[in-house]
Amino acid sequence: MPVQYYIFLSIALFCIGVMGVLMRRNAIIIFMCIELMLNAVNLLLVAFSKMWVDAGRVDAASAQLFVFFVMVVAAAEVSVGLAIIVMMYRNTHSVDINILSRLKN
């Protein structure tokens, strides 16, 4: 399968994630869209590593190891983010991010 298909798919996934982050107001959906963007970047990293391995320039382990670290950071981000959302829900009984504007004062 050509690398261009992976590039188009990851661009589409990343654009869907960006639009979800910019348009939605639900904090849980925003975190899901951020995860979608991270997975689009991971797909692109793996596709480029496959392309460079087929060309004989690099080994596949370096890019796939980087993808593993991105997934670990994403898991940590989700755990901290969900803890913040749970605390926000306990205090305000809503997961709407517009409520966070009260924290400015």
Side-chain angles (χ1 to χ4, degrees), residues 30-67:
I30 290 174
F31 274 112
M32 286 176 18
C33 290
I34 290 171
E35 288 296 318
L36 188 65
M37 290 189 296
L38 287 172
N39 285 329
V41 171
N42 283 341
L43 176 66
L44 201 60
L45 283 171
V46 170
F48 282 139
S49 75
K50 180 186 177 302
M51 181 182 72
W52 286 103
V53 166
D54 289 346
R57 298 187 184 180
V58 237
D59 58 341
S62 60
Q64 292 174 1
L65 186 64
F66 189 68
V67 167

Side-chain angles (χ1 to χ4, degrees), residues 3-104:
V3 176
Q4 289 84 8
Y5 294 153
Y6 293 113
I7 293 171
F8 291 138
L9 178 64
S10 58
I11 286 172
L13 288 175
F14 193 83
C15 289
I16 291 170
V18 167
M19 295 305 292
V21 167
L22 294 177
M23 291 181 158
R24 303 297 287 204
R25 300 201 187 278
N26 190 340
I28 295 172
I29 293 177
I30 290 174
F31 274 112
M32 286 176 18
C33 290
I34 290 171
E35 288 296 318
L36 188 65
M37 290 189 296
L38 287 172
N39 285 329
V41 171
N42 283 341
L43 176 66
L44 201 60
L45 283 171
V46 170
F48 282 139
S49 75
K50 180 186 177 302
M51 181 182 72
W52 286 103
V53 166
D54 289 346
R57 298 187 184 180
V58 237
D59 58 341
S62 60
Q64 292 174 1
L65 186 64
F66 189 68
V67 167
F68 177 72
F69 284 125
V70 169
M71 290 173 66
V72 168
V73 169
E77 175 251 336
V78 165
S79 65
V80 171
L82 285 177
I84 291 171
I85 289 173
V86 166
M87 291 307 295
M88 183 177 78
Y89 183 77
R90 284 184 184 174
N91 291 333
T92 63
H93 299 290
S94 175
V95 289
D96 189 15
I97 60 169
N98 288 332
I99 293 176
L100 293 178
S101 65
R102 293 185 201 169
L103 297 176
K104 290 181 184 176

